[in-house]
Amino acid sequence: MQRTLVLLKPDCVRRRLMGRVIARLEDKDLNIVAMKLMRVTPELAKRHYVEHVQKAWYPELEAFITGAPIVAMVVSGPEAIQVLRSMAGATNGLKANPGTIRGDFSASQQMNLVHASDSPESAQREIAIFFGEEEICE
Ligand code: CDP
Ligand code: MG
């Protein structure tokens, strides 16, 4: 069993797609072991996206991710990290394959509905940013 961090980004919440995205995770028999609706602060955004803070597009990403509530989740299952990355699809919704969350619902490079950790190291680091171990119900 692996754990990964999944975020339903502000566009997902605003477009009322939370239920449809969560349904896909449940259809795949993944376990949601922690979940909360919350607002990302600029400080939290900089920690979560530390690898991107220096990029030219970071200020726009921060404005987007802090602009409205998100849903943060810890999802567990066999090979959950890679499974969630492939269910999310390519970063840019215009390039993401049909059948993926981004491919089916996003037409944007930035507003791509979901975040999913990209490696075991990222998953561990990112989960610890959003959740205390006592909030995770395994
Ligand atoms: O989320 P993912 O790991 O697929 O992509 P990333 O390259 O790590 O970028 C993180 C997030 O930054 C993306 O999911 C987009 O929301 C956003 N982004 C952006 O706003 N502008 C870009 N040129 C690239 C990414
Ligand atoms: Mg990434």
Short mmCIF file of all heavy atoms in Angstrom, two decimals, residues 14-79:
data_model
loop_
_atom_site.label_atom_id
_atom_site.label_comp_id
_atom_site.label_asym_id
_atom_site.label_seq_id
_atom_site.Cartn_x
_atom_site.Cartn_y
_atom_site.Cartn_z
N ARG A 14 -14.86 25.01 -7.62
CA ARG A 14 -15.72 26.06 -8.19
C ARG A 14 -16.63 25.51 -9.28
O ARG A 14 -17.78 25.90 -9.39
CB ARG A 14 -14.80 27.15 -8.77
CG ARG A 14 -15.34 28.54 -8.68
CD ARG A 14 -14.42 29.51 -9.42
NE ARG A 14 -13.32 30.01 -8.65
CZ ARG A 14 -12.03 30.00 -9.03
NH1 ARG A 14 -11.67 29.50 -10.19
NH2 ARG A 14 -11.10 30.50 -8.26
N ARG A 15 -16.11 24.58 -10.07
CA ARG A 15 -16.92 24.01 -11.17
C ARG A 15 -17.81 22.86 -10.71
O ARG A 15 -18.46 22.21 -11.51
CB ARG A 15 -15.98 23.54 -12.29
CG ARG A 15 -15.32 24.71 -13.04
CD ARG A 15 -14.31 24.20 -14.07
NE ARG A 15 -14.91 23.32 -15.04
CZ ARG A 15 -14.23 22.49 -15.85
NH1 ARG A 15 -12.92 22.45 -15.81
NH2 ARG A 15 -14.87 21.73 -16.72
N ARG A 16 -17.81 22.60 -9.40
CA ARG A 16 -18.66 21.55 -8.83
C ARG A 16 -18.37 20.18 -9.44
O ARG A 16 -19.27 19.40 -9.75
CB ARG A 16 -20.14 21.92 -8.99
CG ARG A 16 -20.49 23.12 -8.09
CD ARG A 16 -21.75 23.81 -8.50
NE ARG A 16 -22.26 24.68 -7.46
CZ ARG A 16 -21.73 25.84 -7.10
NH1 ARG A 16 -20.63 26.29 -7.70
NH2 ARG A 16 -22.27 26.55 -6.15
N LEU A 17 -17.06 19.92 -9.60
CA LEU A 17 -16.63 18.63 -10.14
C LEU A 17 -16.06 17.71 -9.05
O LEU A 17 -15.59 16.61 -9.35
CB LEU A 17 -15.57 18.84 -11.24
CG LEU A 17 -16.10 19.49 -12.53
CD1 LEU A 17 -14.94 19.86 -13.45
CD2 LEU A 17 -17.08 18.57 -13.23
N MET A 18 -16.12 18.17 -7.79
CA MET A 18 -15.54 17.35 -6.71
C MET A 18 -16.13 15.94 -6.70
O MET A 18 -15.40 14.96 -6.62
CB MET A 18 -15.83 17.99 -5.34
CG MET A 18 -15.06 19.25 -5.07
SD MET A 18 -15.31 19.79 -3.36
CE MET A 18 -16.98 20.36 -3.42
N GLY A 19 -17.43 15.86 -6.75
CA GLY A 19 -18.09 14.56 -6.65
C GLY A 19 -17.68 13.63 -7.79
O GLY A 19 -17.43 12.43 -7.57
N ARG A 20 -17.56 14.18 -8.99
CA ARG A 20 -17.22 13.33 -10.13
C ARG A 20 -15.78 12.85 -10.05
O ARG A 20 -15.47 11.72 -10.44
CB ARG A 20 -17.50 14.07 -11.44
CG ARG A 20 -18.99 14.26 -11.61
CD ARG A 20 -19.32 15.24 -12.68
NE ARG A 20 -19.21 14.64 -14.01
CZ ARG A 20 -19.45 15.31 -15.13
NH1 ARG A 20 -19.82 16.59 -15.08
NH2 ARG A 20 -19.35 14.72 -16.29
N VAL A 21 -14.89 13.70 -9.53
CA VAL A 21 -13.49 13.28 -9.39
C VAL A 21 -13.38 12.24 -8.26
O VAL A 21 -12.73 11.21 -8.43
CB VAL A 21 -12.57 14.49 -9.16
CG1 VAL A 21 -11.15 14.04 -8.82
CG2 VAL A 21 -12.56 15.40 -10.40
N ILE A 22 -14.04 12.50 -7.14
CA ILE A 22 -13.99 11.55 -6.03
C ILE A 22 -14.60 10.21 -6.46
O ILE A 22 -14.09 9.14 -6.12
CB ILE A 22 -14.70 12.13 -4.78
CG1 ILE A 22 -13.88 13.29 -4.21
CG2 ILE A 22 -14.92 11.06 -3.71
CD1 ILE A 22 -14.59 14.13 -3.17
N ALA A 23 -15.65 10.26 -7.26
CA ALA A 23 -16.28 9.01 -7.75
C ALA A 23 -15.27 8.19 -8.56
O ALA A 23 -15.25 6.96 -8.47
CB ALA A 23 -17.51 9.33 -8.58
N ARG A 24 -14.43 8.86 -9.33
CA ARG A 24 -13.42 8.11 -10.10
C ARG A 24 -12.44 7.39 -9.18
O ARG A 24 -12.02 6.27 -9.45
CB ARG A 24 -12.64 9.06 -11.01
CG ARG A 24 -13.45 9.52 -12.20
CD ARG A 24 -12.61 10.41 -13.11
NE ARG A 24 -13.43 10.82 -14.24
CZ ARG A 24 -12.98 10.90 -15.50
NH1 ARG A 24 -11.73 10.64 -15.79
NH2 ARG A 24 -13.80 11.27 -16.46
N LEU A 25 -12.06 8.07 -8.09
CA LEU A 25 -11.13 7.43 -7.14
C LEU A 25 -11.80 6.23 -6.49
O LEU A 25 -11.18 5.17 -6.33
CB LEU A 25 -10.69 8.42 -6.05
CG LEU A 25 -10.11 9.76 -6.51
CD1 LEU A 25 -9.61 10.55 -5.30
CD2 LEU A 25 -8.99 9.58 -7.50
N GLU A 26 -13.08 6.38 -6.14
CA GLU A 26 -13.79 5.26 -5.52
C GLU A 26 -14.02 4.14 -6.53
O GLU A 26 -13.89 2.96 -6.19
CB GLU A 26 -15.12 5.76 -4.93
CG GLU A 26 -14.89 6.71 -3.76
CD GLU A 26 -16.16 7.04 -3.01
OE1 GLU A 26 -17.23 7.19 -3.66
OE2 GLU A 26 -16.10 7.18 -1.78
N ASP A 27 -14.35 4.51 -7.76
CA ASP A 27 -14.53 3.47 -8.80
C ASP A 27 -13.27 2.63 -8.97
O ASP A 27 -13.33 1.45 -9.28
CB ASP A 27 -14.87 4.12 -10.15
CG ASP A 27 -16.28 4.67 -10.20
OD1 ASP A 27 -17.08 4.37 -9.29
OD2 ASP A 27 -16.58 5.42 -11.15
N LYS A 28 -12.12 3.29 -8.78
CA LYS A 28 -10.83 2.60 -8.94
C LYS A 28 -10.47 1.78 -7.70
O LYS A 28 -9.43 1.13 -7.67
CB LYS A 28 -9.75 3.66 -9.24
CG LYS A 28 -8.39 3.14 -9.59
CD LYS A 28 -8.36 2.49 -10.96
CE LYS A 28 -6.94 2.01 -11.28
NZ LYS A 28 -6.91 1.23 -12.53
N ASP A 29 -11.34 1.81 -6.68
CA ASP A 29 -11.15 1.05 -5.44
C ASP A 29 -9.99 1.59 -4.60
O ASP A 29 -9.36 0.85 -3.84
CB ASP A 29 -10.94 -0.45 -5.74
CG ASP A 29 -11.33 -1.34 -4.56
OD1 ASP A 29 -12.13 -0.87 -3.70
OD2 ASP A 29 -10.84 -2.47 -4.48
N LEU A 30 -9.70 2.87 -4.78
CA LEU A 30 -8.69 3.52 -3.93
C LEU A 30 -9.33 3.88 -2.60
O LEU A 30 -10.55 4.03 -2.51
CB LEU A 30 -8.17 4.78 -4.63
CG LEU A 30 -7.31 4.50 -5.86
CD1 LEU A 30 -7.30 5.70 -6.79
CD2 LEU A 30 -5.89 4.10 -5.46
N ASN A 31 -8.52 4.04 -1.57
CA ASN A 31 -9.02 4.41 -0.24
C ASN A 31 -8.73 5.88 0.03
O ASN A 31 -7.57 6.30 -0.06
CB ASN A 31 -8.31 3.58 0.85
CG ASN A 31 -8.42 2.10 0.58
OD1 ASN A 31 -9.52 1.56 0.48
ND2 ASN A 31 -7.29 1.43 0.46
N ILE A 32 -9.76 6.64 0.35
CA ILE A 32 -9.55 8.01 0.83
C ILE A 32 -9.39 7.90 2.34
O ILE A 32 -10.33 7.53 3.04
CB ILE A 32 -10.73 8.91 0.45
CG1 ILE A 32 -10.83 9.01 -1.08
CG2 ILE A 32 -10.56 10.30 1.07
CD1 ILE A 32 -12.10 9.66 -1.58
N VAL A 33 -8.18 8.17 2.83
CA VAL A 33 -7.89 7.95 4.25
C VAL A 33 -7.78 9.25 5.05
O VAL A 33 -7.65 9.24 6.27
CB VAL A 33 -6.64 7.06 4.45
CG1 VAL A 33 -6.91 5.66 3.92
CG2 VAL A 33 -5.40 7.65 3.79
N ALA A 34 -7.86 10.40 4.34
CA ALA A 34 -7.95 11.70 4.99
C ALA A 34 -8.51 12.67 3.97
O ALA A 34 -8.24 12.53 2.77
CB ALA A 34 -6.59 12.18 5.49
N MET A 35 -9.32 13.63 4.44
CA MET A 35 -9.91 14.58 3.49
C MET A 35 -10.38 15.83 4.22
O MET A 35 -11.01 15.74 5.27
CB MET A 35 -11.10 13.94 2.77
CG MET A 35 -11.83 14.86 1.83
SD MET A 35 -12.73 13.98 0.53
CE MET A 35 -14.08 13.30 1.44
N LYS A 36 -10.07 17.02 3.65
CA LYS A 36 -10.61 18.26 4.23
C LYS A 36 -10.72 19.36 3.19
O LYS A 36 -9.88 19.47 2.29
CB LYS A 36 -9.77 18.74 5.42
CG LYS A 36 -8.33 19.04 5.12
CD LYS A 36 -7.58 19.39 6.44
CE LYS A 36 -6.08 19.35 6.24
NZ LYS A 36 -5.34 19.38 7.50
N LEU A 37 -11.76 20.18 3.35
CA LEU A 37 -11.93 21.40 2.56
C LEU A 37 -11.18 22.50 3.28
O LEU A 37 -11.33 22.66 4.50
CB LEU A 37 -13.41 21.76 2.47
CG LEU A 37 -13.76 22.99 1.65
CD1 LEU A 37 -13.73 22.68 0.16
CD2 LEU A 37 -15.15 23.51 2.03
N MET A 38 -10.36 23.24 2.58
CA MET A 38 -9.52 24.23 3.25
C MET A 38 -9.08 25.31 2.27
O MET A 38 -9.22 25.17 1.06
CB MET A 38 -8.28 23.54 3.83
CG MET A 38 -7.42 22.87 2.76
SD MET A 38 -5.96 22.05 3.41
CE MET A 38 -4.93 23.46 3.78
N ARG A 39 -8.54 26.35 2.83
CA ARG A 39 -7.99 27.44 2.03
C ARG A 39 -6.47 27.34 2.09
O ARG A 39 -5.90 27.20 3.18
CB ARG A 39 -8.48 28.75 2.63
CG ARG A 39 -8.38 29.95 1.75
CD ARG A 39 -9.38 29.90 0.61
NE ARG A 39 -9.16 31.05 -0.25
CZ ARG A 39 -10.03 32.03 -0.43
NH1 ARG A 39 -11.21 31.98 0.14
NH2 ARG A 39 -9.73 33.04 -1.22
N VAL A 40 -5.79 27.39 0.96
CA VAL A 40 -4.32 27.38 0.93
C VAL A 40 -3.82 28.81 1.10
O VAL A 40 -4.26 29.71 0.40
CB VAL A 40 -3.81 26.79 -0.41
CG1 VAL A 40 -2.29 26.88 -0.50
CG2 VAL A 40 -4.27 25.34 -0.57
N THR A 41 -2.92 29.00 2.06
CA THR A 41 -2.32 30.33 2.25
C THR A 41 -1.12 30.46 1.32
O THR A 41 -0.58 29.45 0.85
CB THR A 41 -1.82 30.49 3.70
OG1 THR A 41 -0.80 29.49 3.92
CG2 THR A 41 -2.95 30.32 4.71
N PRO A 42 -0.65 31.68 1.07
CA PRO A 42 0.57 31.85 0.26
C PRO A 42 1.76 31.08 0.83
O PRO A 42 2.55 30.50 0.08
CB PRO A 42 0.80 33.37 0.30
CG PRO A 42 -0.57 33.94 0.48
CD PRO A 42 -1.29 32.98 1.37
N GLU A 43 1.88 31.03 2.16
CA GLU A 43 2.99 30.30 2.79
C GLU A 43 2.89 28.80 2.49
O GLU A 43 3.90 28.16 2.16
CB GLU A 43 2.96 30.51 4.31
CG GLU A 43 3.24 31.93 4.78
CD GLU A 43 2.15 32.95 4.41
OE1 GLU A 43 0.95 32.58 4.37
OE2 GLU A 43 2.50 34.10 4.11
N LEU A 44 1.69 28.27 2.61
CA LEU A 44 1.47 26.85 2.32
C LEU A 44 1.74 26.57 0.83
O LEU A 44 2.36 25.55 0.49
CB LEU A 44 0.01 26.51 2.67
CG LEU A 44 -0.39 25.05 2.75
CD1 LEU A 44 0.40 24.33 3.83
CD2 LEU A 44 -1.89 24.94 3.07
N ALA A 45 1.31 27.47 -0.03
CA ALA A 45 1.53 27.30 -1.48
C ALA A 45 3.02 27.23 -1.79
O ALA A 45 3.47 26.39 -2.57
CB ALA A 45 0.87 28.44 -2.24
N LYS A 46 3.80 28.09 -1.14
CA LYS A 46 5.26 28.11 -1.39
C LYS A 46 5.92 26.84 -0.89
O LYS A 46 6.88 26.36 -1.50
CB LYS A 46 5.90 29.33 -0.73
CG LYS A 46 5.56 30.63 -1.46
CD LYS A 46 6.28 31.82 -0.85
CE LYS A 46 5.84 33.13 -1.49
NZ LYS A 46 4.52 33.61 -1.00
N ARG A 47 5.43 26.28 0.21
CA ARG A 47 5.99 25.00 0.70
C ARG A 47 5.62 23.87 -0.24
O ARG A 47 6.46 23.05 -0.61
CB ARG A 47 5.44 24.68 2.11
CG ARG A 47 6.15 25.45 3.21
CD ARG A 47 5.56 25.09 4.57
NE ARG A 47 5.88 23.73 4.98
CZ ARG A 47 5.26 23.06 5.95
NH1 ARG A 47 4.25 23.62 6.60
NH2 ARG A 47 5.62 21.84 6.27
N HIS A 48 4.36 23.81 -0.61
CA HIS A 48 3.90 22.71 -1.47
C HIS A 48 4.57 22.76 -2.84
O HIS A 48 4.99 21.74 -3.37
CB HIS A 48 2.37 22.80 -1.61
CG HIS A 48 1.80 21.78 -2.55
ND1 HIS A 48 1.87 20.42 -2.30
CD2 HIS A 48 1.19 21.91 -3.74
CE1 HIS A 48 1.29 19.78 -3.30
NE2 HIS A 48 0.88 20.65 -4.19
N TYR A 49 4.66 23.95 -3.42
CA TYR A 49 5.22 24.11 -4.77
C TYR A 49 6.66 24.63 -4.72
O TYR A 49 7.05 25.41 -5.58
CB TYR A 49 4.34 25.04 -5.59
CG TYR A 49 3.07 24.39 -6.09
CD1 TYR A 49 1.82 24.97 -5.84
CD2 TYR A 49 3.09 23.22 -6.85
CE1 TYR A 49 0.64 24.38 -6.33
CE2 TYR A 49 1.93 22.62 -7.34
CZ TYR A 49 0.72 23.21 -7.07
OH TYR A 49 -0.44 22.64 -7.56
N VAL A 50 7.43 24.18 -3.73
CA VAL A 50 8.80 24.70 -3.54
C VAL A 50 9.65 24.57 -4.81
O VAL A 50 10.45 25.46 -5.12
CB VAL A 50 9.47 24.04 -2.31
CG1 VAL A 50 9.70 22.56 -2.52
CG2 VAL A 50 10.75 24.74 -1.94
N GLU A 51 9.44 23.49 -5.58
CA GLU A 51 10.25 23.29 -6.79
C GLU A 51 9.92 24.31 -7.88
O GLU A 51 10.65 24.42 -8.86
CB GLU A 51 10.06 21.86 -7.32
CG GLU A 51 8.71 21.65 -8.00
CD GLU A 51 8.27 20.19 -8.10
OE1 GLU A 51 8.68 19.50 -9.01
OE2 GLU A 51 7.46 19.78 -7.23
N HIS A 52 8.79 25.01 -7.74
CA HIS A 52 8.35 25.94 -8.79
C HIS A 52 8.43 27.41 -8.38
O HIS A 52 8.14 28.28 -9.19
CB HIS A 52 6.91 25.63 -9.19
CG HIS A 52 6.70 24.26 -9.77
ND1 HIS A 52 7.50 23.75 -10.76
CD2 HIS A 52 5.79 23.29 -9.48
CE1 HIS A 52 7.09 22.52 -11.06
NE2 HIS A 52 6.07 22.21 -10.30
N VAL A 53 8.81 27.67 -7.13
CA VAL A 53 8.72 29.04 -6.61
C VAL A 53 9.52 30.05 -7.45
O VAL A 53 9.12 31.21 -7.58
CB VAL A 53 9.16 29.08 -5.12
CG1 VAL A 53 9.37 30.49 -4.64
CG2 VAL A 53 8.10 28.41 -4.25
N GLN A 54 10.62 29.58 -8.04
CA GLN A 54 11.46 30.50 -8.83
C GLN A 54 10.96 30.68 -10.27
O GLN A 54 11.51 31.51 -11.01
CB GLN A 54 12.91 29.99 -8.88
CG GLN A 54 13.55 29.81 -7.51
CD GLN A 54 13.53 31.07 -6.67
OE1 GLN A 54 13.61 32.19 -7.19
NE2 GLN A 54 13.37 30.92 -5.36
N LYS A 55 9.98 29.92 -10.69
CA LYS A 55 9.54 29.98 -12.09
C LYS A 55 8.76 31.26 -12.38
O LYS A 55 8.09 31.81 -11.50
CB LYS A 55 8.67 28.76 -12.44
CG LYS A 55 9.34 27.44 -12.08
CD LYS A 55 9.31 26.42 -13.19
CE LYS A 55 10.28 25.28 -12.90
NZ LYS A 55 9.61 24.04 -12.48
N ALA A 56 8.83 31.69 -13.62
CA ALA A 56 8.16 32.94 -14.02
C ALA A 56 6.66 32.87 -13.77
O ALA A 56 6.02 33.88 -13.45
CB ALA A 56 8.45 33.22 -15.49
N TRP A 57 6.10 31.67 -13.91
CA TRP A 57 4.64 31.53 -13.77
C TRP A 57 4.19 31.25 -12.34
O TRP A 57 3.00 31.10 -12.08
CB TRP A 57 4.09 30.46 -14.73
CG TRP A 57 4.90 29.19 -14.82
CD1 TRP A 57 5.88 28.92 -15.74
CD2 TRP A 57 4.81 28.02 -13.97
NE1 TRP A 57 6.40 27.66 -15.50
CE2 TRP A 57 5.76 27.09 -14.44
CE3 TRP A 57 4.02 27.68 -12.88
CZ2 TRP A 57 5.94 25.82 -13.84
CZ3 TRP A 57 4.20 26.43 -12.29
CH2 TRP A 57 5.14 25.52 -12.78
N TYR A 58 5.14 31.18 -11.38
CA TYR A 58 4.73 30.86 -10.01
C TYR A 58 3.73 31.85 -9.41
O TYR A 58 2.74 31.43 -8.78
CB TYR A 58 5.92 30.66 -9.07
CG TYR A 58 5.41 30.39 -7.68
CD1 TYR A 58 4.91 29.14 -7.35
CD2 TYR A 58 5.30 31.42 -6.74
CE1 TYR A 58 4.33 28.90 -6.12
CE2 TYR A 58 4.72 31.19 -5.50
CZ TYR A 58 4.24 29.94 -5.20
OH TYR A 58 3.64 29.71 -3.99
N PRO A 59 3.92 33.17 -9.59
CA PRO A 59 2.95 34.10 -8.98
C PRO A 59 1.51 33.84 -9.43
O PRO A 59 0.58 33.92 -8.62
CB PRO A 59 3.44 35.47 -9.44
CG PRO A 59 4.92 35.28 -9.64
CD PRO A 59 5.06 33.89 -10.20
N GLU A 60 1.34 33.50 -10.70
CA GLU A 60 -0.02 33.19 -11.18
C GLU A 60 -0.54 31.89 -10.56
O GLU A 60 -1.73 31.78 -10.25
CB GLU A 60 -0.03 33.04 -12.71
CG GLU A 60 -0.01 34.36 -13.44
CD GLU A 60 0.05 34.14 -14.94
OE1 GLU A 60 -0.75 33.32 -15.45
OE2 GLU A 60 0.90 34.76 -15.58
N LEU A 61 0.36 30.91 -10.43
CA LEU A 61 -0.05 29.64 -9.80
C LEU A 61 -0.47 29.89 -8.35
O LEU A 61 -1.50 29.38 -7.90
CB LEU A 61 1.11 28.63 -9.87
CG LEU A 61 0.91 27.32 -9.09
CD1 LEU A 61 -0.30 26.55 -9.58
CD2 LEU A 61 2.17 26.45 -9.19
N GLU A 62 0.30 30.71 -7.65
CA GLU A 62 -0.04 30.99 -6.25
C GLU A 62 -1.39 31.71 -6.14
O GLU A 62 -2.21 31.38 -5.28
CB GLU A 62 1.06 31.82 -5.58
CG GLU A 62 0.79 32.00 -4.10
CD GLU A 62 1.85 32.85 -3.40
OE1 GLU A 62 2.98 32.38 -3.23
OE2 GLU A 62 1.51 34.00 -3.03
N ALA A 63 -1.61 32.67 -7.05
CA ALA A 63 -2.89 33.39 -7.03
C ALA A 63 -4.05 32.42 -7.27
O ALA A 63 -5.11 32.50 -6.62
CB ALA A 63 -2.89 34.49 -8.08
N PHE A 64 -3.83 31.48 -8.18
CA PHE A 64 -4.87 30.48 -8.49
C PHE A 64 -5.13 29.56 -7.29
O PHE A 64 -6.28 29.39 -6.86
CB PHE A 64 -4.41 29.68 -9.72
CG PHE A 64 -5.13 28.37 -9.93
CD1 PHE A 64 -6.51 28.32 -10.08
CD2 PHE A 64 -4.42 27.18 -10.01
CE1 PHE A 64 -7.17 27.11 -10.28
CE2 PHE A 64 -5.06 25.97 -10.21
CZ PHE A 64 -6.44 25.93 -10.34
N ILE A 65 -4.08 29.00 -6.73
CA ILE A 65 -4.25 27.95 -5.71
C ILE A 65 -4.74 28.53 -4.38
O ILE A 65 -5.34 27.82 -3.57
CB ILE A 65 -2.95 27.12 -5.56
CG1 ILE A 65 -3.24 25.70 -5.06
CG2 ILE A 65 -1.92 27.79 -4.70
CD1 ILE A 65 -3.78 24.75 -6.07
N THR A 66 -4.46 29.82 -4.15
CA THR A 66 -4.92 30.46 -2.91
C THR A 66 -6.25 31.20 -3.11
O THR A 66 -6.80 31.73 -2.15
CB THR A 66 -3.89 31.48 -2.39
OG1 THR A 66 -3.72 32.52 -3.36
CG2 THR A 66 -2.55 30.84 -2.10
N GLY A 67 -6.76 31.22 -4.33
CA GLY A 67 -7.90 32.08 -4.66
C GLY A 67 -9.26 31.60 -4.20
O GLY A 67 -10.22 32.38 -4.15
N ALA A 68 -9.38 30.32 -3.89
CA ALA A 68 -10.66 29.74 -3.48
C ALA A 68 -10.33 28.43 -2.76
O ALA A 68 -9.21 27.93 -2.87
CB ALA A 68 -11.55 29.51 -4.70
N PRO A 69 -11.29 27.86 -2.05
CA PRO A 69 -10.99 26.64 -1.30
C PRO A 69 -10.57 25.47 -2.19
O PRO A 69 -10.93 25.41 -3.37
CB PRO A 69 -12.32 26.31 -0.59
CG PRO A 69 -13.03 27.60 -0.52
CD PRO A 69 -12.66 28.36 -1.77
N ILE A 70 -9.82 24.58 -1.58
CA ILE A 70 -9.44 23.31 -2.21
C ILE A 70 -9.93 22.17 -1.32
O ILE A 70 -10.33 22.40 -0.18
CB ILE A 70 -7.91 23.17 -2.38
CG1 ILE A 70 -7.22 23.11 -0.99
CG2 ILE A 70 -7.33 24.31 -3.22
CD1 ILE A 70 -5.94 22.31 -1.01
N VAL A 71 -9.85 20.96 -1.83
CA VAL A 71 -10.03 19.78 -0.99
C VAL A 71 -8.70 19.02 -1.01
O VAL A 71 -8.18 18.72 -2.10
CB VAL A 71 -11.17 18.87 -1.47
CG1 VAL A 71 -11.19 17.56 -0.69
CG2 VAL A 71 -12.51 19.59 -1.29
N ALA A 72 -8.15 18.77 0.16
CA ALA A 72 -6.92 17.98 0.28
C ALA A 72 -7.30 16.58 0.75
O ALA A 72 -8.17 16.42 1.61
CB ALA A 72 -5.97 18.63 1.29
N MET A 73 -6.64 15.59 0.15
CA MET A 73 -6.94 14.19 0.48
C MET A 73 -5.65 13.39 0.55
O MET A 73 -4.73 13.64 -0.23
CB MET A 73 -7.77 13.53 -0.62
CG MET A 73 -9.18 13.95 -0.73
SD MET A 73 -9.98 12.91 -2.00
CE MET A 73 -9.79 13.99 -3.38
N VAL A 74 -5.63 12.40 1.41
CA VAL A 74 -4.61 11.36 1.33
C VAL A 74 -5.32 10.13 0.76
O VAL A 74 -6.37 9.73 1.27
CB VAL A 74 -3.98 11.04 2.69
CG1 VAL A 74 -2.95 9.92 2.57
CG2 VAL A 74 -3.35 12.29 3.30
N VAL A 75 -4.76 9.61 -0.31
CA VAL A 75 -5.35 8.46 -0.98
C VAL A 75 -4.37 7.30 -0.88
O VAL A 75 -3.16 7.48 -1.11
CB VAL A 75 -5.64 8.80 -2.47
CG1 VAL A 75 -6.15 7.58 -3.21
CG2 VAL A 75 -6.66 9.93 -2.55
N SER A 76 -4.87 6.13 -0.51
CA SER A 76 -3.97 4.99 -0.40
C SER A 76 -4.48 3.83 -1.26
O SER A 76 -5.67 3.70 -1.54
CB SER A 76 -3.79 4.56 1.05
OG SER A 76 -4.79 3.66 1.45
N GLY A 77 -3.52 3.02 -1.69
CA GLY A 77 -3.83 1.86 -2.52
C GLY A 77 -2.54 1.31 -3.09
O GLY A 77 -1.49 1.95 -2.97
N PRO A 78 -2.60 0.15 -3.74
CA PRO A 78 -1.41 -0.41 -4.35
C PRO A 78 -0.89 0.53 -5.45
O PRO A 78 -1.67 0.95 -6.31
CB PRO A 78 -1.89 -1.74 -4.97
CG PRO A 78 -3.25 -1.98 -4.43
CD PRO A 78 -3.80 -0.67 -3.95
N GLU A 79 0.40 0.88 -5.37
CA GLU A 79 1.02 1.78 -6.36
C GLU A 79 0.21 3.07 -6.55
O GLU A 79 0.10 3.59 -7.67
CB GLU A 79 1.21 1.05 -7.70
CG GLU A 79 2.18 -0.12 -7.57
CD GLU A 79 2.40 -0.85 -8.89
OE1 GLU A 79 2.61 -0.19 -9.91
OE2 GLU A 79 2.34 -2.10 -8.86
#
